[in-house]
Amino acid sequence: MSGAGHEQEVEADEAGIRLDRWFKRHHPTLSHSALQKLLRTGQVRVDGKRAESSTRLEAAQKLRVPPQVLTPPPPDPAKVIRRVGREVELLRKMILFEDDDVIALNKPAGLAVQGGTGLKENLDDMLEALAKKGQGKPKLVHRIDRDTSGVLLVARSAFAAMRLTEAFRERETRKIYWGVTVGVPKPPSGKVAAHLIKQGETMRLATEDEIKDSRRKDYHGGVKTATTLYQVVDRAAKKASFIAMWPLSGRTHQLRVHMAYVGTPLLGDRLYGADASAGLPLDELGSGLHLHARRLVIPHPRRGVIDVTAPLGPEMRKTWDWFHFDPNEETEFVED
């Protein structure tokens, strides 16, 4: 490969894609800022011409990819040591339970479980720091939202990952979530059963026609049934409530959509309740989404049961203190 770089051709199914998205697909280790520098200096060319990150590509166009993108420089060993050391320290603080098969973590709010556009770090990449000698990187077996805190399980082996994944798939788990709602749900305890459908990056309630369509044998859409049990644990007059939730299904954003559906969205939920908390003293409460995976009970991959409870993080604890909610409340599982 010459120093002039390497040419790659745009495939037919890539027609219309932005140039920056093309690089994200083909060269995921190249950062956005590094790509911008290459574009500014003319080191990336489309059919021999300068281009911008927003340039839409056409099938069969030729892209010049600089050699340093194909063979990036090796990382600075000192920086790698510092990064790994920081990750080990951070992960060790999260550990709630650990043995030869499983690690249970108390994931902080704001840390994404997996990587994505614009994310500087994610939990999955950090797990390499917990690998034992002679073993591979621990494996994710389920996920919680970036803005949600609480219990997250990781498998140390392929066998443990298989058994835990199976337990989640077969609904052999029991989960309790805690949250703070804006307002108090009526009734104070109950069941929400509402069909959800994906719309862009969010979920919404499916219409009656969409639900009817989903019952056809030839239907291949995205309508999913979702059921949540909930109970008000404590309340602050009519302004807010400390709520426990038991999801009986595992749909994306399920608890957030369901609480908004009953008219009491979760505090700090920018997607499903952005304007709901106007009457609350937000400067005195904790920041961020108030949703916490409090407890998880699941069969151990080899023996017995894993039962872990995650303490509240500092931002949610601040809100609990302000409302005088009990952060050590014992909330037991409710049966459907």
Side-chain angles (χ1 to χ4, degrees), residues 32-34 36 48 67 81 91 103 113 116 121 131 151 153 167 195 214 225 228 230 272 277 281 288 297 300 325:
H32 177 74
S33 59
Q36 292 302 314
I81 291 171
L91 288 167
I103 308 169
V113 174
E121 63 179 7
V151 180
L153 287 190
H195 294 75
S214 71
T225 57
T228 301
Y230 73 88
Y272 304 103
S277 55
V297 179
H300 190 279
F325 296 151

Side-chain angles (χ1 to χ4, degrees), residues 94 96 104-115 119 122-124 140-154 168 175-177 247 250-256 289 291-296 310:
M94 297 184 204
L96 301 168
L105 302 171
N106 185 7
K107 185 192 81 68
L111 177 61
V113 174
Q114 289 187 298
L119 296 177
N122 65 83
L123 183 65
D124 190 29
L140 294 169
V141 294
H142 70 126
R143 291 156 185 76
I144 56 178
D145 290 347
R146 176 186 180 182
D147 294 329
T148 303
S149 58
V151 180
L152 185 79
L153 287 190
V154 178
F168 278 104
K175 294 176 278 188
I176 296 177
Y177 281 76
R251 309 304 181 200
T252 301
H253 295 179
Q254 173 180 324
L255 300 177
R256 299 167 68 174
L289 175 67
L291 180 59
H292 179 70
R294 172 66 173 177
R295 184 180 173 196
L296 174 64

Side-chain angles (χ1 to χ4, degrees), residues 76-147:
D76 181 340
K79 289 184 178 180
V80 171
I81 291 171
R82 287 197 296 271
R83 177 180 58 78
V84 171
R86 173 186 167 277
E87 291 175 354
V88 169
E89 182 181 2
L90 182 61
L91 288 167
R92 284 290 166 195
K93 290 179 180 178
M94 297 184 204
I95 292 177
L96 301 168
F97 167 84
E98 182 180 17
D99 66 11
D100 291 339
D101 293 298
V102 182
I103 308 169
L105 302 171
N106 185 7
K107 185 192 81 68
L111 177 61
V113 174
Q114 289 187 298
T117 303
L119 296 177
K120 292 184 178 179
E121 63 179 7
N122 65 83
L123 183 65
D124 190 29
D125 287 348
M126 295 166 63
L127 290 176
E128 189 73 49
L130 292 181
K132 288 188 174 182
K133 189 175 182 179
Q135 293 183 344
K137 185 182 82 171
K139 301 169 180 61
L140 294 169
V141 294
H142 70 126
R143 291 156 185 76
I144 56 178
D145 290 347
R146 176 186 180 182
D147 294 329

